[in-house]
Amino acid sequence: MIPYGKQQLDAADFAAVQEVLQSNWLTQGPKVPEFEQAVLQHCQSQFAVAVNSATSALHIACLALNVGPGDVVWTSPNSFVASANCALYCGAKVDFVDIDIRTGNICCQALTEKLIKARKANCLPKVVIPVHFAGQSCDMAIISSLAKEYGFAVIEDASHAIGASYLCQPVGNCAYSDICVFSFHPVKIITCGEGGIATTNNPELARKMQLLRSHGITAEPAELTEASHGVWYYQQQLLGFNYRMTDIQAALGVSQLSKLLRFVAERHLLAKWYDDAFTGNTSIYPLQQQSYAYSSYHLYVVRLLNLNKTQHKDCVHFLRQHGIVGHLHYIPIYLQPYYQQLGFKAGYCPQAELYYQQAVTIPLFPGLTVQNQTTVVKALDSFLCQL
């Protein structure tokens, strides 16, 4: 089977992990700060806080911004459930902003219209979480301008977008946001096995996230509320979590990060091959790439415009029957049973639902061959021709 995505590991990655396994530190050692330093240097941010998953990073990002009961967080429905769940973990409510069906990203016009209505109803969001779907940045300058006008904080969910850029600057530099979050799951651009990181330029947010990832505990002398009892002494100052990244994961991350630009460049070549193959096909529309963004191409998604629901499902099954893992990113979050229990119903974000009926994710990852891509394109053509 040709997967839709997978990690690419080499001898240097194996050696980096083995070095840690043979060291005195498997966790809470020197590799985590080394990885954080490498990420913040790539992103050109001032701080980076590594954790065990992007979900954990989203959670502590919300907590650092004091999201809690009585607050509302807005995000995109076209994402994995973690983009919304993180607010619920804090006791806040969640709402959704419809997408631009051409890109899969949050629609800035829909966001503007929703903010105007929310101001009149006195229910503005505490935080907005734009999701850089498939690796392409949302239009962050517009979102940042709206944040200043309407008084909300911004967390970029860049789980798909390490190695991407916006207006020629790296995603993660937080020029237009308070915090930015990345994922290092195996199918992402680079991997730590599992893992995530939050970047920020705000020292207070960084320090709060550092405390929250490790039980809310500090041993820093300047932060203690009383004189130290001894070299063993620490204090729990917040109700935090065990969200720490291990040195094993961080060592793999450091090694993988050194290949990030090469991985993204290869993904662009693969995407260009698909783009050329689909040019002129009026039934297959790849997601549009915007001039302000340079995508990391975590995913390659096509919209199949002329299919009904049954044919859409049959297409994914057909691909899998022919050795290709076709997939779908994403079911609109609010259509999940849990969110429907909270009162959300079909029809809430029409563009996200229409996108869900049309979208198919096809394989794209470093190491994918032209022969593989040809197989994918022929299978799609074969399915569409038989309709």
Side-chain angles (χ1 to χ4, degrees):
M1 295 286 282
I2 306 171
Y4 78 84
K6 70 173 184 177
Q7 69 275 14
Q8 186 176 74
L9 303 176
D10 61 18
D13 298 320
F14 302 143
V17 172
Q18 185 175 13
E19 181 181 356
V20 171
L21 292 172
Q22 293 172 330
S23 75
N24 293 326
W25 298 95
L26 298 186
T27 189
Q28 295 181 270
K31 281 298 178 180
V32 171
E34 181 183 344
F35 181 52
E36 290 173 333
Q37 187 67 24
V39 170
L40 70 85
Q41 286 179 351
H42 167 77
C43 292
Q44 301 174 19
S45 66
Q46 294 185 32
F47 304 95
V49 181
V51 289
N52 60 2
S53 73
T55 300
S56 300
L58 286 166
H59 184 195
I60 63 174
C62 284
L63 289 173
L65 290 166
N66 299 314
V67 172
D71 294 326
V72 181
V73 173
W74 293 2
T75 191
S76 169
N78 185 37
S79 183
F80 187 59
V81 293
S83 302
N85 288 351
C86 59
L88 300 182
Y89 298 156
C90 303
K93 294 182 179 179
V94 173
D95 203 353
F96 300 94
V97 182
D98 211 350
I99 66 168
D100 181 339
I101 197 170
R102 300 168 301 172
T103 65
N105 278 339
I106 199 167
C107 175
C108 289
Q109 182 60 38
L111 175 61
T112 302
E113 293 171 1
K114 193 176 182 79
L115 286 166
I116 292 170
K117 292 178 182 177
R119 174 181 274 171
K120 290 178 181 177
N122 196 29
C123 59
L124 286 167
K126 177 79 168 278
V127 174
V128 171
I129 306 178
V131 178
H132 301 330
F133 179 70
Q136 180 174 207
S137 175
C138 300
D139 198 340
M140 292 306 302
I142 293 176
I143 293 171
S144 176
S145 177
L146 291 170
K148 291 179 176 67
E149 181 178 353
Y150 289 92
F152 58 83
V154 178
I155 301 171
E156 296 176 75
D157 185 343
S159 294
H160 294 184
I162 188 79
S165 61
Y166 173 74
L167 295 178
C168 300
Q169 298 297 316
V171 169
N173 71 351
C174 297
Y176 302 98
S177 65
D178 298 275
I179 299 170
C180 182
V181 168
F182 296 107
S183 170
F184 306 115
H185 182 277
V187 298
K188 297 303 196 302
I189 311 301
I190 63 170
T191 186
C192 294
E194 276 280 8
I197 206 163
T199 61
T200 184
N201 295 326
N202 184 313
E204 293 181 7
L205 293 178
R207 185 56 188 149
K208 192 168 182 182
M209 289 190 290
Q210 288 166 350
L211 287 172
L212 286 165
R213 72 173 169 186
S214 189
H215 303 283
I217 286 173
T218 182
E220 292 293 326
E223 296 176 347
L224 300 179
T225 60
E226 63 181 31
S228 173
H229 300 181
V231 293
W232 64 86
Y233 189 63
Y234 60 85
Q235 290 182 343
Q236 181 186 341
Q237 297 183 343
L238 297 171
L239 183 59
F241 308 87
N242 184 0
Y243 283 171
R244 295 185 298 261
M245 176 179 280
T246 69
D247 270 39
I248 300 168
Q249 293 168 303
L252 179 56
V254 170
S255 180
Q256 285 268 293
L257 192 63
S258 69
K259 296 172 279 235
L260 173 61
L261 297 182
R262 174 166 63 83
F263 286 168
V264 174
E266 184 172 348
R267 286 173 178 271
H268 270 260
L269 289 175
L270 295 168
K272 176 66 164 54
W273 193 96
Y274 277 138
D275 289 345
D276 291 343
F278 295 134
T279 296
N281 191 321
T282 57
S283 299
I284 302 176
Y285 282 80
L287 291 183
Q288 285 186 12
Q289 301 301 306
Q290 303 301 299
S291 60
Y292 53 72
Y294 176 80
S295 179
S296 60
Y297 271 113
H298 164 53
L299 302 171
Y300 192 93
V301 178
V302 294
R303 291 167 51 221
L304 306 178
L305 271 56
N306 301 320
L307 306 187
N308 59 39
K309 289 183 179 180
T310 299
Q311 292 168 335
H312 182 236
K313 181 174 69 173
D314 289 344
C315 179
V316 174
H317 289 169
F318 182 89
L319 291 175
R320 295 193 178 206
Q321 289 165 2
H322 287 75
I324 300 158
V325 180
H327 206 47
L328 201 149
H329 299 83
Y330 288 99
I331 307 165
I333 296 172
Y334 63 83
L335 292 181
Q336 297 292 344
Y338 179 83
Y339 280 87
Q340 292 196 309
Q341 291 171 14
L342 298 179
F344 292 100
K345 293 182 173 133
Y348 194 69
C349 293
Q351 292 300 294
E353 292 180 34
L354 179 59
Y355 166 88
Y356 174 54
Q357 294 172 18
Q358 297 176 342
V360 175
T361 301
I362 59 176
L364 188 144
F365 53 87
L368 188 70
T369 67
V370 170
Q371 182 179 2
N372 292 152
Q373 290 187 282
T374 302
T375 298
V376 173
V377 171
K378 285 184 176 179
L380 265 180
D381 285 340
S382 176
F383 176 80
L384 294 172
C385 286
Q386 72 183 18
L387 297 178

